[in-house]
Amino acid sequence: MIHSINVRTRARVDLVDITSEVEGLVKKSGIKDGICYVYVPHTTAGITINEGADPSVKRDIIHSLERLVPRDAGYTHLEGNSDAHIKSSLVGASAFVLIEQGRLQLGTWQAIFFCEFDGPRHRRVAVKITGD
Ligand code: ZN
């Protein structure tokens, strides 16, 4: 079974902390030991795991990606959102977290972020939880 998390993003580029939603699905699954896969079925979004405690880290990630991949840089893709596609590929479309004793084994400061690169819009995150 694949679970869905709906995400409403608020800006063109935005990192949304979805850790508590993913944790809720793990709890509901009843799986004590296994793996939780988090995947975005979108070409201009991504998933990353990074610091969730200090919001300046999220801002620095967003600003650094903007510097690395400017919005206009002579791209050929006619839709005009090539920067979003490139950021999606840099960040990646998935992540996984190990589950032990029914809990995600994230580090103390780690959070799971949905990464929006061409918002604001409604997005879907797919979550698969498997036991070992
Ligand atoms: Zn496009």
Side-chain angles (χ1 to χ4, degrees):
M1 179 183 180
I2 295 172
H3 308 273
S4 283
I5 296 171
N6 294 307
V7 181
R8 174 84 175 93
T9 58
R10 310 257 165 223
R12 182 162 193 269
V13 179
D14 196 8
L15 266 61
V16 181
D17 187 340
I18 57 167
T19 311
S20 61
E21 286 90 340
V22 177
E23 272 170 352
L25 291 172
V26 170
K27 196 176 240 182
K28 222 163 37 173
S29 77
I31 288 172
K32 297 297 175 205
D33 292 279
I35 300 176
C36 177
Y37 299 93
V38 183
Y39 173 77
V40 287
H42 302 292
T43 60
T44 55
I47 289 287
T48 194
I49 296 174
N50 213 305
E51 165 146 0
D54 180 356
S56 66
V57 172
K58 158 180 146 172
R59 282 197 297 275
D60 287 345
I61 290 171
I62 290 170
H63 291 150
S64 296
L65 285 170
E66 296 289 340
R67 270 200 305 278
L68 282 169
V69 189
R71 183 148 187 192
D72 296 305
Y75 307 115
T76 55
H77 177 49
L78 290 175
E79 206 184 9
N81 62 353
S82 270
D83 66 310
H85 290 294
I86 293 163
K87 287 168 194 154
S88 169
S89 276
L90 286 175
V91 165
S94 64
F96 72 88
V97 184
L98 303 178
I99 301 165
E100 201 170 70
Q101 295 177 340
R103 301 200 47 156
L104 291 173
Q105 295 301 294
L106 290 166
T108 307
W109 309 112
Q110 283 183 316
I112 305 166
F113 289 98
F114 172 84
C115 306
E116 176 64 81
F117 299 121
D118 196 20
R121 4 174 154 187
H122 288 100
R123 300 288 207 170
R124 189 172 79 84
V125 177
V127 178
K128 176 81 183 175
I129 300 159
T130 60
D132 59 14

